[in-house]
Amino acid sequence: MWNLSWQKSLLFFPLLWTTLAHANETATENNPTPQELLQQMQKAQDYENYRISFVNLTAEEVESLRYYHAFAQSTAYAQLATLDGPQQEIIQRGDIISYFAPNAQPFSLPGLHIVDKFPNILRADLAKVSQNYDIVPMGLNRIADRLVQSFHILPKDGLRYQLAVFLDIQTHLLLRRDVLDRQGNLLQQFRVVNIAPFSQEKEFIQALTELKLPPLLPDAEHEKNTLAPKNNSFSWQPAWLPKGFKLIHSRLHESQGSVVESQFYSDGLFSFTLNRAPSIIQNAPEKSWNKGMLTLYTQTRGNVDFTCIGQIPSTTAKRIIEEIKDH
């Protein structure tokens, strides 16, 4: 029986505000670059003690979550929990991430961060991001009753989505991230609705230290799907990709009795997967589907389907598929 009941109440101590004038003076004196401010955001996410409640918004749904984070003696402790529907939790204790969900066997994986439900900008290599995106300061704003510095992160090629990010002036934490299409329409939003210092981190750390975590999945489960060689021995490759997208991994797996060849690509902010599989209907017409920032595009060539699934515009996905070549 997995004991997940850490239910002690946490007190909210409002953080002191700086005035708009003082914030402007500080920004002028220190004059950090946009990339330096984003680096401060990433550092604060990993090393500060805090608790936040946030929502992930799309046109179709609203997902509410709560996150506790504490850092002590070079070790991170965190808990991410859903607030609506069946309770699901993810626990971090050092380099172990444990997953708990109703009607499912709990399990653990090695990892340094809880990445589920959080924007990729929190883990992105900012030096590589700046090669393909312009980071443009947009001035001061207010999110969750806190003063924030806002930025637009704009693709240099117009082939992918853009971001708007809002950083807490005082804590440097990310309080909002918008994914926008090329016309500026909102596709997805991460938005903090409540933020507070974590004054009871010692009790929290003790509770997680004493918690019996589920076992790590064995290596055989990690590699349940047969991985393709690192140099990728598939007989097909995309001849064109937007600049900055790199192959992260490739693999073979089974789906509905057929072997599917997959390649996963990312530019640090957005990602997509290319799949090659036997088609059910030969020479079927192309299919395209969008939900928020997620695109699915399929093109059939004879008795083979090529599909792109990921966080890119449908026009970009179509061009990638059309440029796939055999070798």
Side-chain angles (χ1 to χ4, degrees):
M1 188 71 177
W2 306 103
N3 180 17
L4 300 180
S5 59
W6 192 78
Q7 301 293 339
K8 292 183 179 180
S9 63
L10 298 174
L11 298 178
F12 177 84
F13 296 104
L15 300 180
L16 294 178
W17 272 85
T18 57
T19 64
L20 183 61
H22 177 68
N24 280 325
E25 289 174 4
T26 302
T28 302
E29 292 172 2
N30 298 333
N31 199 29
T33 67
Q35 186 168 322
E36 288 172 340
L37 289 172
L38 292 175
Q39 288 171 341
Q40 291 176 358
M41 170 199 71
Q42 292 181 336
K43 185 176 180 179
Q45 181 77 11
D46 290 342
Y47 298 113
E48 297 299 328
N49 298 332
Y50 58 92
R51 65 182 181 95
I52 58 174
S53 298
F54 66 94
V55 293
N56 280 319
L57 304 170
T58 66
E60 295 81 14
E61 61 183 352
V62 179
E63 185 180 36
S64 302
L65 303 109
R66 181 187 61 227
Y67 183 65
Y68 298 137
H69 184 272
F71 188 84
Q73 298 180 341
S74 302
T75 303
Y77 302 85
Q79 178 192 46
L80 177 67
T82 58
L83 298 180
D84 300 322
Q87 186 175 6
Q88 302 179 55
E89 295 187 58
I90 303 175
I91 299 292
Q92 177 181 3
R93 191 171 73 192
D95 59 358
I96 301 298
I97 311 296
S98 301
Y99 294 79
F100 304 86
N103 304 318
Q105 185 68 26
F107 64 92
S108 296
L109 294 172
L112 298 177
H113 316 284
I114 295 177
V115 297
D116 309 66
K117 311 300 182 182
F118 288 100
N120 289 339
I121 187 65
L122 291 169
R123 304 289 163 214
D125 184 330
L126 297 173
K128 292 183 179 179
V129 166
S130 63
Q131 295 175 6
N132 303 298
Y133 295 82
D134 293 318
I135 305 174
V136 182
M138 298 300 291
L140 299 174
N141 208 316
R142 196 164 68 97
I143 301 293
D145 200 28
R146 302 187 61 87
L147 195 63
V148 295
Q149 173 70 56
S150 60
F151 300 91
H152 274 170
I153 302 179
L154 305 172
K156 296 180 179 181
D157 56 13
L159 297 169
R160 57 201 105 190
Y161 299 132
Q162 57 182 294
L163 300 179
V165 297
F166 302 80
L167 312 183
D168 189 326
I169 289 291
Q170 188 174 40
T171 67
H172 307 298
L173 290 171
L174 177 67
L175 296 192
R176 176 174 152 189
R177 185 276 280 130
D178 296 349
V179 180
L180 309 168
D181 66 16
R182 287 168 291 183
Q183 290 72 45
N185 299 311
L186 180 65
L187 301 177
Q188 188 184 72
Q189 183 179 88
F190 165 93
R191 189 183 188 104
V192 171
V193 295
N194 183 271
I195 175 175
F198 201 170
S199 59
Q200 294 186 351
E201 71 274 8
K202 291 182 180 179
E203 293 90 335
F204 176 70
I205 290 172
Q206 182 178 354
L208 291 194
T209 300
E210 295 173 353
L211 179 65
K212 182 181 178 182
L213 297 179
L216 283 170
L217 289 180
D219 291 342
E221 285 296 314
H222 279 303
E223 299 177 1
K224 187 175 181 179
N225 298 313
T226 303
L227 295 180
K230 290 183 179 180
N231 62 359
N232 196 346
S233 61
F234 293 159
S235 64
W236 55 277
Q237 292 294 320
W240 175 87
L241 292 170
K243 185 179 177 181
F245 277 98
K246 304 295 183 184
L247 177 65
I248 306 302
H249 61 74
S250 57
R251 66 172 187 167
L252 302 174
H253 60 99
E254 288 191 10
S255 177
Q256 298 179 344
S258 299
V259 175
V260 179
E261 300 175 342
S262 294
Q263 300 178 9
F264 178 75
Y265 292 85
S266 176
D267 71 347
L269 291 184
F270 299 105
S271 60
F272 63 86
T273 298
L274 298 179
N275 293 328
R276 181 187 186 275
S279 62
I280 299 176
I281 302 175
Q282 293 191 12
N283 298 314
E286 66 178 11
K287 296 182 284 291
S288 183
W289 174 85
N290 296 90
K291 182 179 180 182
M293 67 174 176
L294 183 65
T295 290
L296 186 150
Y297 175 82
T298 298
Q299 187 179 99
T300 302
R301 301 180 188 176
N303 61 352
V304 174
D305 285 342
F306 286 99
T307 301
C308 178
I309 306 172
Q311 305 157 344
I312 54 176
S314 55
T315 52
T316 303
K318 179 177 180 179
R319 182 176 173 184
I320 292 171
I321 292 292
E322 290 176 341
E323 295 284 346
I324 289 178
K325 307 293 183 184
D326 291 324
H327 63 81

